[in-house]
Amino acid sequence: MLTARRRAAATAAVILSGSLLLASCGSSDSGSSDGKTLKLWHYESPDSAMGAAWNEAIMEFEAKHPGVKVKFEEKGFEQIQKTAPMVLNSSDAPDIMEYNKGDATAGLLSKQGLLTDLTPEVTKRGWDKKLSAGVKTTSQYDANGVMGSGKWYGIPNYAEFTMVFYNKDLFKKYGIAEPKTFDDLTAAMDKFVAKGVTPLADAGAEYLAQQYLYQLALSKADRSWVDKYELYKGKTDFHDAAWTYGATTFADWVKKGYISKTSSGTKAEDAGVAFIQGKNPILFSGSWWYGRFKAENKFDWGTMLWPGSSLTLGSGGNLWVVPKGAKNKDLAYDFIDITMSPKIQNLLGNKGGVPVAADSNAITDPRSKTLIADFDTLSQRDGLAFYPDWPVPGFYDTLVSETQKLITGSEKPDAYLSALQKAYDQGAPKQ
């Protein structure tokens, strides 16, 4: 589905991808090739942790494959998202590409027969041994394109999760203690409101708002609840205790002034910039912001996992996939292997990413150490709960429009939950 990578709005102006030209020694169904060019697509900005790590991986790849060049053309996330099924069904398919994980994206392409089954390579190269259970979930898809089991159709070489980012200088300025618990968090937000400051940076027109609400629901949920919702292992009831708490608390936070009503029309980039400019002391979002905040924040800041919840939004990162029609599959597998190597994993970690197979002793940046330690904590407690828009096609747009109504007050929580139930039931597999 259009997952958190809609967060691509967070760096919309600089999001890149890659395309290339031709490559080399693919399997027998991969067509002809000159063996001199690897065709790669990805959509990470060059100053992001992933962009920096993959640039290094490209140099490493070319050094290990004399005479072979990696070429790419700039593309945006939305461009790949909308055109992938058509492109992958044509002679223009790349040899390797970054693609969004989830049932309605990588799962759908696997079901349509557009992706290569990577299972033999996963076993041969030991990629499965480098990935935790929560990260593996989005790499495997069954015959119906449902994640969590079946064949391997993608490999993530990074992970992502959400956290509370907070401006330590603003807390200090207003004499407010940094939060440690959920009660601390709400007490701090009350104090900011009393000082005329809107505590939470939000974006109702994109993913941030729905993720606040989903996190509130997750704080009252468990793994079986997530499996029902995301993996269809049982019936999801949007009027249950967790969803009801999430919707009613979110609406209450708007009334209390924790979230601005004007944020209904705000995009993720606007929310991120507001935090960077010190307009809002708190932003709840993903690790994909980490490198940017590290580079652009001019104040002392910190992070913490959402207090009082064992679950939070997160998953393995977007996937390296190899199109079924790729002409140079063996080269594509070699490139994936390089991105999983200690050198590239450690670089990714020190640049502010969340590597899946880094050497913790090789991560020297203090903030990066904290980031990776928090991810390890989540992994150990099986705390990655994916994203709210994943389960059914088109659900992202439903969540955006319905959550906007909660922010403006034009819809009550009960009606909001009924709208989600209707859209979910229409799109989910029949049980």
Side-chain angles (χ1 to χ4, degrees), residues 377-401:
T377 296
L378 280 174
S379 295
Q380 289 163 12
R381 69 187 188 204
D382 192 21
L384 296 176
F386 314 123
Y387 296 91
D389 58 300
W390 278 15
V392 298
F395 206 50
Y396 176 88
D397 293 330
T398 298
L399 283 165
V400 167
S401 61

Side-chain angles (χ1 to χ4, degrees), residues 286-300:
S287 49
W288 49 87
W289 287 102
Y290 210 92
R292 184 171 178 187
F293 290 164
K294 185 177 169 184
E296 297 185 27
N297 286 353
K298 305 301 183 187
F299 50 83
D300 190 16

Side-chain angles (χ1 to χ4, degrees), residues 17-21 39-42 71-75 94:
S17 83
S19 118
L20 316 196
L21 261 124
K39 188 175 182 180
L40 165 72
W41 293 2
H42 79 73
K71 299 180 181 177
F72 66 94
E73 61 194 36
E74 296 182 6
K75 297 182 189 291

Side-chain angles (χ1 to χ4, degrees), residues 49 52-61 63-64 130 157 337-351 355 357-359 362-363:
W54 297 350
N55 283 339
E56 183 68 25
I58 288 172
M59 290 190 283
E60 183 95 351
F61 174 89
K64 290 184 175 180
K130 296 185 177 184
N157 76 309
D337 205 46
I338 288 171
T339 69
M340 298 290 280
S341 68
K343 177 181 178 180
I344 302 303
Q345 287 289 297
N346 295 340
L347 174 63
L348 197 155
N350 278 310
K351 290 289 185 179
D359 174 3
I363 307 302

Side-chain angles (χ1 to χ4, degrees), residues 57-109:
I58 288 172
M59 290 190 283
E60 183 95 351
F61 174 89
E62 291 182 339
K64 290 184 175 180
H65 297 77
V68 178
K69 292 295 180 184
V70 179
K71 299 180 181 177
F72 66 94
E73 61 194 36
E74 296 182 6
K75 297 182 189 291
F77 167 78
E78 296 288 349
Q79 182 182 6
I80 290 181
Q81 186 69 37
K82 291 174 181 176
T83 64
M86 179 176 64
V87 172
L88 298 191
N89 230 344
S90 74
S91 59
D92 294 326
D95 298 306
I96 180 174
M97 64 185 283
E98 178 190 11
Y99 198 61
N100 207 9
K101 69 277 184 189
D103 295 352
T105 44
L108 180 61
L109 294 189

Side-chain angles (χ1 to χ4, degrees), residues 178-242:
E178 294 178 20
K180 298 280 191 294
T181 67
F182 184 74
D183 287 344
D184 290 346
L185 180 64
T186 54
M189 292 194 292
D190 282 330
K191 291 175 182 176
F192 277 117
V193 169
K195 301 285 188 180
V197 176
T198 300
L200 297 177
D202 184 41
E206 290 184 335
Y207 62 87
L208 259 72
Q210 61 185 256
Q211 292 185 359
Y212 276 110
L213 194 151
Y214 186 54
Q215 178 60 68
L216 288 166
L218 287 174
S219 69
K220 302 296 182 183
D222 58 18
R223 175 53 59 184
S224 66
W225 184 94
V226 174
D227 288 347
K228 287 177 185 177
Y229 177 60
E230 299 279 4
L231 305 178
Y232 320 118
K233 294 182 178 180
K235 182 168 176 56
T236 289
D237 176 10
F238 282 86
H239 290 277
D240 67 11

Side-chain angles (χ1 to χ4, degrees), residues 262-296:
T262 62
S263 69
S264 63
T266 303
K267 295 192 173 184
E269 174 71 4
D270 302 320
V273 169
F275 181 72
I276 291 169
Q277 293 176 344
K279 294 178 179 178
N280 304 103
I282 302 167
L283 181 143
F284 172 71
S285 194
S287 49
W288 49 87
W289 287 102
Y290 210 92
R292 184 171 178 187
F293 290 164
K294 185 177 169 184
E296 297 185 27

